[in-house]
Coordinates of all heavy atoms in Angstrom, one line a residue:
M1 N -7.9 -4.5 13.9 CA -8.3 -5.7 13.2 C -7.6 -5.8 11.8 O -7.7 -4.8 11.0 CB -9.8 -5.7 13.0 CG -10.3 -6.9 12.3 SD -12.1 -7.0 12.4 CE -12.5 -6.8 10.6
N2 N -7.0 -6.9 11.5 CA -6.4 -7.0 10.1 C -7.4 -7.7 9.2 O -7.9 -8.8 9.5 CB -5.1 -7.9 10.2 CG -4.0 -7.2 10.9 OD1 -4.0 -5.9 10.9 ND2 -3.1 -7.9 11.5
T3 N -7.6 -7.1 8.1 CA -8.6 -7.6 7.1 C -7.7 -7.9 5.9 O -6.9 -7.2 5.5 CB -9.7 -6.6 6.8 OG1 -10.3 -6.2 8.0 CG2 -10.7 -7.2 5.8
V4 N -8.0 -9.1 5.3 CA -7.3 -9.5 4.1 C -8.2 -9.2 2.9 O -9.4 -9.5 2.8 CB -7.1 -11.0 4.1 CG1 -6.4 -11.5 2.8 CG2 -6.2 -11.4 5.3
Y5 N -7.6 -8.5 1.9 CA -8.2 -8.2 0.6 C -7.5 -8.9 -0.5 O -6.4 -8.4 -0.9 CB -8.2 -6.7 0.4 CG -9.0 -5.9 1.4 CD1 -8.3 -5.3 2.5 CD2 -10.3 -5.7 1.4 CE1 -9.0 -4.6 3.5 CE2 -11.0 -5.0 2.3 CZ -10.3 -4.4 3.4 OH -11.0 -3.7 4.3
P6 N -8.0 -10.0 -1.0 CA -7.3 -10.7 -2.0 C -7.3 -9.8 -3.3 O -8.3 -9.2 -3.7 CB -8.1 -12.0 -2.3 CG -9.0 -12.1 -1.1 CD -9.2 -10.7 -0.5
L7 N -6.1 -9.7 -3.9 CA -6.0 -9.0 -5.1 C -5.7 -9.9 -6.3 O -4.6 -10.5 -6.3 CB -4.8 -7.9 -5.0 CG -4.6 -7.0 -6.1 CD1 -5.7 -6.1 -6.3 CD2 -3.3 -6.2 -5.8
K8 N -6.6 -10.1 -7.1 CA -6.4 -11.1 -8.2 C -6.3 -10.5 -9.6 O -5.9 -11.2 -10.5 CB -7.6 -12.1 -8.2 CG -7.6 -12.9 -6.9 CD -8.6 -14.0 -6.9 CE -8.5 -14.8 -5.5 NZ -9.1 -16.0 -5.5
T9 N -6.7 -9.2 -9.7 CA -6.6 -8.6 -11.0 C -6.1 -7.1 -10.7 O -6.4 -6.6 -9.7 CB -7.9 -8.5 -11.8 OG1 -8.8 -7.6 -11.1 CG2 -8.5 -9.9 -12.0
L10 N -5.5 -6.5 -11.7 CA -5.0 -5.2 -11.6 C -6.2 -4.2 -11.5 O -6.0 -3.1 -10.9 CB -4.1 -4.8 -12.8 CG -2.8 -5.5 -12.9 CD1 -2.0 -5.2 -14.1 CD2 -1.9 -5.2 -11.6
N11 N -7.3 -4.5 -12.0 CA -8.5 -3.6 -11.9 C -8.9 -3.4 -10.5 O -9.6 -2.5 -10.2 CB -9.7 -4.2 -12.7 CG -9.4 -4.1 -14.2 OD1 -8.6 -3.3 -14.7 ND2 -10.0 -5.0 -14.9
Q12 N -8.5 -4.3 -9.6 CA -8.9 -4.2 -8.2 C -8.1 -3.2 -7.4 O -8.4 -2.8 -6.3 CB -8.8 -5.6 -7.5 CG -9.8 -6.6 -8.0 CD -9.6 -7.9 -7.5 OE1 -8.5 -8.4 -7.5 NE2 -10.7 -8.6 -7.0
L13 N -6.9 -2.8 -8.0 CA -6.0 -1.8 -7.3 C -6.7 -0.5 -7.0 O -6.6 0.1 -5.9 CB -4.8 -1.6 -8.1 CG -3.7 -2.6 -7.9 CD1 -2.5 -2.4 -8.9 CD2 -3.1 -2.6 -6.5
R14 N -7.3 0.1 -8.0 CA -7.9 1.5 -7.9 C -8.9 1.6 -6.7 O -8.7 2.4 -5.8 CB -8.5 1.9 -9.2 CG -9.0 3.4 -9.1 CD -9.6 3.9 -10.4 NE -9.8 5.3 -10.3 CZ -10.8 5.9 -9.7 NH1 -11.7 5.1 -9.0 NH2 -11.0 7.2 -9.7
P15 N -9.9 0.7 -6.7 CA -10.8 0.9 -5.6 C -10.2 0.6 -4.2 O -10.6 1.2 -3.2 CB -12.0 -0.1 -5.9 CG -11.5 -1.0 -6.9 CD -10.4 -0.3 -7.6
L16 N -9.2 -0.3 -4.2 CA -8.5 -0.5 -2.9 C -7.7 0.7 -2.5 O -7.8 1.1 -1.3 CB -7.6 -1.7 -3.0 CG -8.2 -3.1 -3.0 CD1 -7.2 -4.2 -3.3 CD2 -8.9 -3.3 -1.7
L17 N -7.0 1.3 -3.4 CA -6.2 2.6 -3.0 C -7.2 3.7 -2.6 O -6.9 4.3 -1.5 CB -5.4 3.1 -4.2 CG -4.2 2.3 -4.6 CD1 -3.5 2.9 -5.9 CD2 -3.2 2.4 -3.4
V18 N -8.2 3.9 -3.3 CA -9.2 4.9 -2.9 C -9.8 4.6 -1.5 O -9.9 5.5 -0.7 CB -10.3 5.1 -4.0 CG1 -11.4 6.0 -3.5 CG2 -9.7 5.6 -5.3
G19 N -10.2 3.3 -1.3 CA -10.8 2.9 -0.1 C -9.9 3.1 1.1 O -10.3 3.6 2.2
F20 N -8.6 2.7 1.0 CA -7.6 2.8 2.0 C -7.4 4.3 2.4 O -7.3 4.7 3.5 CB -6.3 2.1 1.7 CG -6.4 0.6 1.8 CD1 -5.9 -0.2 0.8 CD2 -6.8 0.0 3.0 CE1 -6.0 -1.6 0.9 CE2 -6.8 -1.4 3.1 CZ -6.4 -2.2 2.0
R21 N -7.3 5.1 1.3 CA -7.0 6.5 1.5 C -8.2 7.2 2.3 O -8.0 7.9 3.3 CB -6.8 7.2 0.2 CG -6.7 8.7 0.3 CD -6.4 9.4 -1.0 NE -7.4 9.2 -2.1 CZ -8.5 9.8 -2.2 NH1 -8.9 10.7 -1.3 NH2 -9.3 9.5 -3.2
K22 N -9.4 6.9 1.8 CA -10.6 7.5 2.5 C -10.8 6.9 3.9 O -11.2 7.6 4.8 CB -11.8 7.2 1.6 CG -11.8 8.1 0.4 CD -13.0 8.0 -0.4 CE -13.0 8.9 -1.6 NZ -14.2 8.9 -2.4
A23 N -10.4 5.6 4.1 CA -10.6 5.0 5.4 C -9.7 5.7 6.4 O -10.0 5.8 7.6 CB -10.2 3.6 5.4
H24 N -8.6 6.3 6.0 CA -7.6 7.1 6.8 C -8.0 8.5 6.9 O -7.3 9.3 7.5 CB -6.2 6.9 6.4 CG -5.6 5.6 6.7 ND1 -5.8 4.4 6.0 CD2 -4.9 5.2 7.8 CE1 -5.2 3.4 6.6 NE2 -4.6 3.9 7.7
G25 N -9.1 8.9 6.2 CA -9.5 10.3 6.2 C -8.6 11.2 5.4 O -8.5 12.4 5.8
L26 N -7.9 10.7 4.4 CA -6.9 11.5 3.7 C -7.4 11.9 2.3 O -8.1 11.2 1.7 CB -5.6 10.7 3.5 CG -4.8 10.3 4.8 CD1 -3.7 9.3 4.4 CD2 -4.3 11.5 5.5
T27 N -7.0 13.1 1.9 CA -7.3 13.6 0.6 C -6.1 13.2 -0.3 O -5.1 12.8 0.2 CB -7.5 15.1 0.5 OG1 -6.2 15.7 0.9 CG2 -8.6 15.6 1.5
Q28 N -6.4 13.3 -1.6 CA -5.2 13.0 -2.6 C -4.1 14.0 -2.3 O -2.9 13.6 -2.4 CB -5.7 13.2 -4.0 CG -6.6 12.0 -4.5 CD -6.9 12.1 -6.0 OE1 -6.8 13.2 -6.5 NE2 -7.3 11.0 -6.6
K29 N -4.4 15.2 -2.0 CA -3.4 16.3 -1.7 C -2.6 15.9 -0.5 O -1.3 16.0 -0.5 CB -4.1 17.6 -1.4 CG -3.2 18.7 -1.1 CD -2.5 19.3 -2.3 CE -1.8 20.6 -1.9 NZ -0.7 20.8 -2.8
E30 N -3.2 15.4 0.6 CA -2.5 15.0 1.8 C -1.5 13.8 1.5 O -0.4 13.8 1.9 CB -3.4 14.6 2.9 CG -4.1 15.9 3.4 CD -5.3 15.6 4.3 OE1 -6.0 14.6 4.1 OE2 -5.5 16.3 5.3
V31 N -2.0 12.8 0.7 CA -1.2 11.7 0.4 C 0.0 12.1 -0.5 O 1.1 11.7 -0.3 CB -2.0 10.6 -0.3 CG1 -1.1 9.5 -0.9 CG2 -3.1 10.0 0.6
S32 N -0.3 13.0 -1.4 CA 0.7 13.5 -2.3 C 1.8 14.2 -1.6 O 3.0 14.1 -1.8 CB 0.2 14.3 -3.5 OG -0.3 15.6 -3.0
E33 N 1.4 15.0 -0.6 CA 2.4 15.7 0.3 C 3.3 14.7 1.0 O 4.5 15.0 1.2 CB 1.7 16.7 1.2 CG 1.1 17.9 0.5 CD 0.2 18.7 1.4 OE1 -0.1 18.4 2.5 OE2 -0.2 19.8 0.9
R34 N 2.7 13.7 1.5 CA 3.5 12.7 2.3 C 4.4 11.9 1.4 O 5.5 11.5 1.8 CB 2.5 11.7 3.0 CG 1.7 12.4 4.1 CD 0.8 11.4 4.8 NE 0.0 12.1 5.7 CZ -0.8 11.5 6.7 NH1 -0.8 10.2 6.8 NH2 -1.5 12.2 7.5
L35 N 4.1 11.8 0.1 CA 4.9 11.1 -0.9 C 6.0 12.1 -1.5 O 6.9 11.6 -2.1 CB 4.1 10.5 -2.0 CG 3.2 9.4 -1.6 CD1 2.2 9.0 -2.7 CD2 4.0 8.1 -1.3
G36 N 5.7 13.4 -1.3 CA 6.6 14.4 -1.9 C 6.4 14.5 -3.4 O 7.4 14.8 -4.1
V37 N 5.2 14.4 -3.9 CA 4.8 14.6 -5.3 C 3.7 15.5 -5.3 O 3.1 15.9 -4.3 CB 4.5 13.2 -6.0 CG1 5.7 12.3 -6.0 CG2 3.3 12.6 -5.4
T38 N 3.3 16.0 -6.5 CA 2.2 16.8 -6.7 C 0.9 16.1 -6.6 O 0.9 14.8 -6.8 CB 2.2 17.6 -8.1 OG1 2.0 16.6 -9.1 CG2 3.5 18.3 -8.3
Q39 N -0.2 16.8 -6.3 CA -1.5 16.1 -6.2 C -1.9 15.5 -7.6 O -2.4 14.4 -7.6 CB -2.6 17.1 -5.8 CG -3.9 16.6 -5.5 CD -4.8 16.5 -6.7 OE1 -4.7 17.3 -7.6 NE2 -5.7 15.5 -6.8
Q40 N -1.5 16.2 -8.7 CA -1.8 15.7 -10.0 C -1.1 14.4 -10.3 O -1.7 13.5 -10.9 CB -1.5 16.7 -11.1 CG -2.3 18.0 -11.1 CD -1.9 19.0 -10.0 OE1 -0.9 18.9 -9.3 NE2 -2.7 20.0 -9.8
T41 N 0.1 14.3 -9.8 CA 0.9 13.0 -10.0 C 0.3 11.9 -9.2 O 0.1 10.8 -9.8 CB 2.4 13.2 -9.5 OG1 3.0 14.2 -10.3 CG2 3.2 12.0 -9.6
Y42 N -0.1 12.2 -8.0 CA -0.8 11.1 -7.2 C -2.1 10.8 -7.8 O -2.5 9.6 -7.9 CB -0.9 11.5 -5.8 CG -1.6 10.3 -5.0 CD1 -0.9 9.2 -4.8 CD2 -3.0 10.4 -4.7 CE1 -1.6 8.1 -4.2 CE2 -3.6 9.4 -4.1 CZ -2.9 8.2 -3.8 OH -3.6 7.1 -3.2
A43 N -2.9 11.7 -8.3 CA -4.2 11.5 -8.9 C -4.1 10.6 -10.1 O -4.9 9.7 -10.3 CB -4.9 12.8 -9.3
R44 N -3.0 10.8 -10.9 CA -2.8 9.9 -12.1 C -2.5 8.5 -11.6 O -3.0 7.5 -12.2 CB -1.6 10.4 -12.9 CG -2.1 11.6 -13.8 CD -1.0 11.9 -14.9 NE 0.3 12.1 -14.4 CZ 0.8 13.3 -14.1 NH1 0.0 14.4 -14.2 NH2 2.0 13.4 -13.6
L45 N -1.7 8.3 -10.6 CA -1.3 7.0 -10.1 C -2.6 6.3 -9.5 O -2.8 5.2 -9.8 CB -0.3 7.1 -9.0 CG 0.2 5.7 -8.4 CD1 1.6 5.8 -8.1 CD2 -0.7 5.3 -7.2
E46 N -3.4 7.1 -8.8 CA -4.6 6.5 -8.2 C -5.6 6.1 -9.3 O -6.3 5.1 -9.2 CB -5.2 7.4 -7.2 CG -6.3 6.8 -6.3 CD -6.8 7.8 -5.3 OE1 -7.8 8.5 -5.6 OE2 -6.3 7.7 -4.1
A47 N -5.7 6.9 -10.3 CA -6.6 6.7 -11.4 C -6.2 5.4 -12.2 O -7.1 4.7 -12.8 CB -6.7 7.9 -12.3
N48 N -4.9 5.2 -12.3 CA -4.4 4.0 -13.1 C -3.3 3.4 -12.4 O -2.1 3.4 -12.9 CB -4.0 4.5 -14.5 CG -3.7 3.4 -15.5 OD1 -4.1 2.2 -15.2 ND2 -3.1 3.7 -16.6
P49 N -3.5 2.8 -11.2 CA -2.4 2.2 -10.5 C -1.7 1.0 -11.2 O -0.6 0.6 -10.9 CB -3.1 1.8 -9.2 CG -4.5 1.6 -9.5 CD -4.8 2.6 -10.6
A50 N -2.4 0.4 -12.1 CA -1.9 -0.8 -12.8 C -0.7 -0.4 -13.6 O 0.2 -1.2 -13.9 CB -2.9 -1.4 -13.7
S51 N -0.5 0.9 -14.0 CA 0.6 1.3 -14.8 C 1.8 1.7 -13.9 O 2.9 2.0 -14.4 CB 0.2 2.5 -15.7 OG -0.1 3.6 -14.9
A52 N 1.6 1.8 -12.6 CA 2.7 2.2 -11.7 C 3.6 1.1 -11.4 O 3.2 -0.1 -11.4 CB 2.1 2.7 -10.4
S53 N 4.8 1.4 -11.0 CA 5.8 0.4 -10.7 C 5.4 -0.2 -9.3 O 4.8 0.5 -8.5 CB 7.2 0.9 -10.6 OG 7.4 1.8 -9.5
I54 N 5.9 -1.4 -9.0 CA 5.7 -2.0 -7.7 C 6.3 -1.1 -6.6 O 5.8 -1.0 -5.5 CB 6.1 -3.4 -7.6 CG1 5.6 -4.1 -6.3 CG2 7.6 -3.6 -7.7 CD1 4.2 -4.4 -6.3
E55 N 7.4 -0.5 -6.9 CA 8.1 0.4 -6.0 C 7.2 1.6 -5.6 O 7.1 1.9 -4.4 CB 9.4 0.9 -6.5 CG 10.2 1.8 -5.6 CD 11.5 2.3 -6.2 OE1 11.7 2.1 -7.4 OE2 12.2 3.0 -5.5
R56 N 6.6 2.2 -6.6 CA 5.7 3.3 -6.3 C 4.5 2.9 -5.5 O 4.1 3.6 -4.6 CB 5.4 4.1 -7.5 CG 6.5 4.9 -8.1 CD 6.1 5.9 -9.1 NE 7.3 6.6 -9.5 CZ 7.4 7.5 -10.4 NH1 6.2 7.8 -11.0 NH2 8.5 8.1 -10.7
L57 N 3.9 1.8 -5.9 CA 2.7 1.3 -5.2 C 3.1 0.9 -3.7 O 2.3 1.2 -2.8 CB 2.2 0.0 -5.9 CG 1.4 0.3 -7.2 CD1 1.1 -1.0 -7.9 CD2 0.2 1.1 -6.9
F58 N 4.3 0.4 -3.6 CA 4.7 0.0 -2.2 C 4.9 1.3 -1.4 O 4.5 1.3 -0.2 CB 6.1 -0.7 -2.3 CG 6.4 -1.4 -1.0 CD1 5.9 -2.6 -0.6 CD2 7.4 -0.8 -0.1 CE1 6.2 -3.2 0.6 CE2 7.7 -1.4 1.1 CZ 7.1 -2.6 1.4
R59 N 5.4 2.4 -1.9 CA 5.5 3.6 -1.2 C 4.1 4.2 -0.8 O 3.9 4.7 0.3 CB 6.3 4.6 -2.0 CG 7.7 4.3 -2.1 CD 8.5 5.3 -3.0 NE 9.9 4.9 -3.1 CZ 10.7 5.5 -4.0 NH1 10.3 6.4 -4.8 NH2 11.9 5.1 -4.0
V60 N 3.2 4.1 -1.7 CA 1.8 4.5 -1.5 C 1.2 3.7 -0.4 O 0.6 4.2 0.6 CB 0.9 4.5 -2.7 CG1 -0.5 4.8 -2.4 CG2 1.4 5.5 -3.8
F61 N 1.3 2.4 -0.4 CA 0.8 1.5 0.6 C 1.4 1.8 1.9 O 0.7 1.8 3.0 CB 1.0 0.0 0.2 CG 0.2 -0.5 -0.9 CD1 0.7 -1.4 -1.8 CD2 -1.1 -0.1 -1.1 CE1 -0.1 -1.9 -2.8 CE2 -1.9 -0.5 -2.1 CZ -1.4 -1.5 -2.9
T62 N 2.7 2.1 2.0 CA 3.4 2.5 3.2 C 2.7 3.7 3.8 O 2.4 3.8 5.0 CB 4.9 2.7 3.0 OG1 5.4 1.4 2.5 CG2 5.6 3.0 4.3
V63 N 2.5 4.8 3.0 CA 1.9 6.0 3.5 C 0.5 5.7 4.0 O 0.1 6.3 5.0 CB 1.9 7.1 2.3 CG1 1.0 8.2 2.7 CG2 3.3 7.6 2.1
L64 N -0.2 4.8 3.4 CA -1.6 4.5 3.8 C -1.6 3.5 4.9 O -2.7 3.1 5.3 CB -2.4 4.0 2.5 CG -2.6 5.0 1.4 CD1 -3.3 4.3 0.2 CD2 -3.3 6.2 1.9
G65 N -0.5 3.0 5.3 CA -0.5 2.0 6.4 C -0.9 0.7 6.0 O -1.5 -0.1 6.9
V66 N -0.7 0.3 4.8 CA -1.2 -1.0 4.2 C 0.0 -1.9 4.1 O 1.0 -1.5 3.6 CB -1.9 -0.8 2.9 CG1 -2.2 -2.1 2.3 CG2 -3.1 0.1 3.0
E67 N -0.1 -3.1 4.6 CA 0.9 -4.1 4.5 C 0.5 -5.1 3.4 O -0.6 -5.6 3.3 CB 1.0 -4.9 5.8 CG 2.1 -6.0 5.8 CD 2.1 -6.8 7.1 OE1 1.0 -7.1 7.6 OE2 3.2 -7.0 7.5
M68 N 1.5 -5.3 2.5 CA 1.3 -6.3 1.5 C 1.8 -7.7 1.9 O 2.9 -7.8 2.5 CB 2.0 -5.9 0.2 CG 1.4 -4.8 -0.6 SD 2.1 -4.6 -2.2 CE 3.9 -4.5 -2.0
V69 N 0.9 -8.7 1.7 CA 1.3 -10.1 2.0 C 1.1 -10.9 0.7 O 0.0 -10.9 0.2 CB 0.4 -10.7 3.1 CG1 0.8 -12.1 3.3 CG2 0.6 -9.9 4.4
L70 N 2.1 -11.4 0.2 CA 2.0 -12.3 -1.0 C 2.0 -13.7 -0.6 O 2.8 -14.2 0.3 CB 3.2 -12.0 -1.9 CG 3.5 -10.5 -2.3 CD1 4.7 -10.4 -3.1 CD2 2.3 -10.0 -3.1
S71 N 1.1 -14.5 -1.2 CA 1.0 -15.9 -0.9 C 0.7 -16.7 -2.2 O 0.2 -16.1 -3.2 CB 0.0 -16.1 0.2 OG -1.3 -16.0 -0.4
S72 N 1.0 -17.9 -2.1 CA 0.7 -18.8 -3.3 C -0.8 -19.3 -3.2 O -1.2 -20.0 -4.0 CB 1.6 -20.0 -3.3 OG 1.6 -20.7 -2.2
G73 N -1.5 -19.0 -2.1 CA -2.8 -19.4 -2.0 C -3.3 -19.1 -0.6 O -2.5 -18.8 0.3
P74 N -4.6 -19.2 -0.3 CA -5.2 -18.9 1.0 C -4.6 -19.7 2.1 O -4.4 -19.2 3.3 CB -6.7 -19.1 0.9 CG -6.9 -19.5 -0.5 CD -5.6 -19.7 -1.2
E75 N -4.2 -21.0 1.9 CA -3.7 -21.8 3.0 C -2.4 -21.3 3.5 O -2.1 -21.5 4.7 CB -3.5 -23.3 2.5 CG -2.5 -23.5 1.5 CD -2.9 -23.1 0.0 OE1 -4.0 -22.8 -0.2 OE2 -2.0 -23.2 -0.8
V76 N -1.6 -20.6 2.7 CA -0.3 -20.1 3.2 C -0.5 -19.0 4.2 O 0.2 -18.9 5.2 CB 0.5 -19.5 2.0 CG1 1.8 -18.8 2.4 CG2 0.9 -20.7 1.0
L77 N -1.5 -18.1 4.0 CA -1.7 -17.0 4.9 C -2.1 -17.5 6.3 O -1.6 -17.0 7.3 CB -2.8 -16.1 4.3 CG -3.2 -14.9 5.2 CD1 -2.0 -13.9 5.3 CD2 -4.4 -14.1 4.6
F78 N -2.9 -18.5 6.3 CA -3.4 -19.0 7.6 C -2.4 -19.9 8.3 O -2.5 -20.2 9.4 CB -4.7 -19.8 7.4 CG -5.8 -18.9 6.9 CD1 -6.4 -19.0 5.7 CD2 -6.3 -17.9 7.8 CE1 -7.4 -18.2 5.3 CE2 -7.3 -17.1 7.3 CZ -7.9 -17.2 6.1
S79 N -1.3 -20.3 7.6 CA -0.3 -21.1 8.2 C 0.8 -20.3 8.8 O 1.7 -20.8 9.4 CB 0.3 -22.1 7.2 OG 1.0 -21.4 6.2
M80 N 0.8 -19.0 8.6 CA 1.8 -18.1 9.1 C 1.7 -18.1 10.7 O 0.7 -17.9 11.2 CB 1.7 -16.7 8.6 CG 2.1 -16.5 7.2 SD 1.9 -14.8 6.6 CE 3.1 -14.0 7.5
S81 N 2.9 -18.3 11.3 CA 2.8 -18.3 12.8 C 2.9 -16.9 13.3 O 3.2 -15.9 12.5 CB 4.1 -19.0 13.3 OG 5.2 -18.3 13.0
S82 N 2.5 -16.6 14.5 CA 2.5 -15.3 15.1 C 3.9 -14.7 15.1 O 4.1 -13.5 15.0 CB 1.9 -15.3 16.5 OG 2.6 -16.1 17.3
S83 N 4.9 -15.6 15.3 CA 6.3 -15.1 15.3 C 6.7 -14.6 14.0 O 7.4 -13.6 13.8 CB 7.3 -16.2 15.8 OG 7.2 -17.3 14.9
T84 N 6.2 -15.2 12.9 CA 6.5 -14.7 11.5 C 5.9 -13.4 11.3 O 6.5 -12.5 10.7 CB 6.0 -15.7 10.5 OG1 6.6 -17.0 10.7 CG2 6.3 -15.3 9.1
I85 N 4.6 -13.2 11.8 CA 3.9 -12.0 11.6 C 4.6 -10.9 12.4 O 4.8 -9.8 11.9 CB 2.5 -12.1 12.0 CG1 1.7 -13.1 11.0 CG2 1.8 -10.8 12.1 CD1 0.4 -13.5 11.5
E86 N 5.1 -11.2 13.6 CA 5.8 -10.2 14.5 C 7.1 -9.8 13.8 O 7.4 -8.6 13.8 CB 6.0 -10.8 15.9 CG 4.8 -10.9 16.7 CD 5.0 -11.6 18.0 OE1 6.2 -11.9 18.3 OE2 4.0 -11.9 18.7
E87 N 7.8 -10.7 13.2 CA 9.1 -10.4 12.6 C 8.8 -9.5 11.4 O 9.6 -8.5 11.1 CB 9.8 -11.7 12.1 CG 11.2 -11.4 11.6 CD 12.1 -10.8 12.5 OE1 12.0 -11.0 13.8 OE2 13.0 -10.0 12.1
T88 N 7.7 -9.7 10.6 CA 7.4 -8.9 9.5 C 7.1 -7.5 10.0 O 7.5 -6.5 9.3 CB 6.2 -9.5 8.7 OG1 6.5 -10.8 8.3 CG2 5.8 -8.7 7.5
E89 N 6.4 -7.4 11.1 CA 6.0 -6.0 11.6 C 7.3 -5.3 12.0 O 7.4 -4.1 11.9 CB 5.1 -6.2 12.8 CG 3.7 -6.6 12.3 CD 2.7 -6.9 13.4 OE1 3.2 -6.9 14.6 OE2 1.5 -7.2 13.2
K90 N 8.3 -6.0 12.6 CA 9.5 -5.3 13.0 C 10.2 -4.7 11.8 O 10.9 -3.7 11.9 CB 10.4 -6.3 13.7 CG 10.0 -6.7 15.1 CD 10.9 -7.6 15.8 CE 10.4 -8.2 17.1 NZ 11.2 -9.2 17.6
Q91 N 10.2 -5.4 10.7 CA 10.9 -5.0 9.5 C 10.2 -3.8 8.8 O 10.7 -3.2 7.9 CB 11.0 -6.1 8.5 CG 11.9 -7.3 9.0 CD 11.8 -8.5 8.1 OE1 11.2 -8.5 7.1 NE2 12.5 -9.5 8.5
T92 N 8.9 -3.5 9.2 CA 8.1 -2.5 8.5 C 8.8 -1.1 8.7 O 8.7 -0.3 7.8 CB 6.7 -2.5 9.2 OG1 6.1 -3.7 9.0 CG2 5.9 -1.4 8.5
D93 N 9.5 -0.8 9.7 CA 10.1 0.5 10.0 C 11.5 0.6 9.5 O 12.3 1.3 10.1 CB 9.9 0.9 11.4 CG 10.2 2.4 11.6 OD1 9.9 3.2 10.7 OD2 10.8 2.7 12.7
S94 N 11.9 -0.2 8.5 CA 13.3 -0.1 8.1 C 13.6 1.2 7.3 O 12.7 1.8 6.8 CB 13.6 -1.3 7.2 OG 13.0 -1.1 5.9
P95 N 14.9 1.6 7.3 CA 15.2 2.9 6.6 C 14.9 2.8 5.1 O 14.5 3.8 4.6 CB 16.7 3.0 6.8 CG 17.0 2.2 8.0 CD 16.0 1.1 8.1
A96 N 14.9 1.6 4.5 CA 14.6 1.5 3.1 C 13.2 1.9 2.8 O 12.8 2.4 1.8 CB 14.9 0.1 2.6
R97 N 12.3 1.6 3.8 CA 10.9 1.9 3.6 C 10.6 3.4 3.8 O 9.5 3.9 3.4 CB 10.0 1.1 4.5 CG 10.1 -0.4 4.1 CD 9.1 -1.2 4.7 NE 7.8 -0.8 4.4 CZ 6.7 -1.4 4.8 NH1 6.8 -2.4 5.6 NH2 5.5 -1.0 4.5
R98 N 11.5 4.1 4.4 CA 11.3 5.6 4.6 C 11.9 6.4 3.5 O 12.0 7.6 3.6 CB 11.9 6.0 6.0 CG 11.1 5.4 7.1 CD 11.5 6.0 8.5 NE 12.9 5.8 8.7 CZ 13.5 4.8 9.5 NH1 12.7 3.9 10.0 NH2 14.8 4.8 9.7
E99 N 12.4 5.7 2.5 CA 13.0 6.4 1.4 C 12.1 7.4 0.7 O 10.9 7.1 0.6 CB 13.5 5.4 0.3 CG 14.1 6.0 -0.9 CD 14.5 4.9 -1.9 OE1 14.2 3.7 -1.6 OE2 15.0 5.2 -3.0
K100 N 12.6 8.5 0.3 CA 11.7 9.5 -0.3 C 11.3 9.1 -1.7 O 12.0 8.4 -2.4 CB 12.4 10.9 -0.4 CG 12.6 11.5 1.0 CD 13.2 12.9 0.9 CE 13.4 13.4 2.3 NZ 13.9 14.7 2.3
W101 N 10.2 9.6 -2.2 CA 9.6 9.3 -3.5 C 10.7 9.7 -4.5 O 11.1 9.1 -5.4 CB 8.4 10.2 -3.8 CG 7.7 9.8 -5.0 CD1 8.0 10.2 -6.3 CD2 6.6 8.9 -5.2 NE1 7.2 9.6 -7.2 CE2 6.3 8.9 -6.6 CE3 5.8 8.2 -4.3 CZ2 5.2 8.1 -7.1 CZ3 4.7 7.5 -4.8 CH2 4.5 7.5 -6.2

């Protein structure tokens, strides 16, 4: 089931990151190992994700199995066709997304 979590402020990033990590049953140590960084480095990012670059956040979301969808409003998300969603899913496993931290 795909659930949409609207992100309207940077303060919402931290609880989302923690929630996604815990939903996958992962510790900070396990996420940091998958990213190739120390647990302390990941803990700092998770504590203050608003200061991280979009590239680093994207890598974390990829490890957590989270897909980002940007829209100009709620009506755009609901107007996406299933073929558009399928095409986006095909692009998810591109070599660029498997780049090391």
Side-chain angles (χ1 to χ4, degrees):
M1 179 173 115
N2 290 335
T3 306
V4 176
Y5 298 97
L7 182 65
K8 296 187 179 196
T9 68
L10 292 175
N11 292 335
Q12 294 172 310
L13 275 173
R14 184 179 189 285
L16 284 173
L17 283 176
V18 172
F20 285 127
R21 176 176 56 79
K22 289 184 176 183
H24 283 85
L26 297 170
T27 64
Q28 287 184 341
K29 178 79 172 153
E30 291 167 324
V31 173
S32 70
E33 288 171 354
R34 293 179 186 193
L35 292 168
V37 298
T38 66
Q39 186 271 330
Q40 292 81 7
T41 298
Y42 179 73
R44 280 195 305 270
L45 182 145
E46 192 175 87
N48 189 16
S51 67
S53 69
I54 190 70
E55 180 182 6
R56 287 196 177 177
L57 286 172
F58 194 80
R59 290 177 182 170
V60 171
F61 287 145
T62 300
V63 165
L64 296 176
V66 176
E67 178 183 43
M68 285 194 305
V69 176
L70 305 176
S71 72
S72 60
E75 68 281 352
V76 173
L77 182 61
F78 295 112
S79 69
M80 289 178 66
S81 69
S82 60
S83 61
T84 304
I85 294 170
E86 288 172 9
E87 186 60 34
T88 302
E89 289 173 353
K90 287 179 187 174
Q91 295 171 2
T92 301
D93 193 34
S94 73
R97 293 194 58 181
R98 292 190 302 265
E99 180 183 359
K100 293 185 179 180
W101 187 279

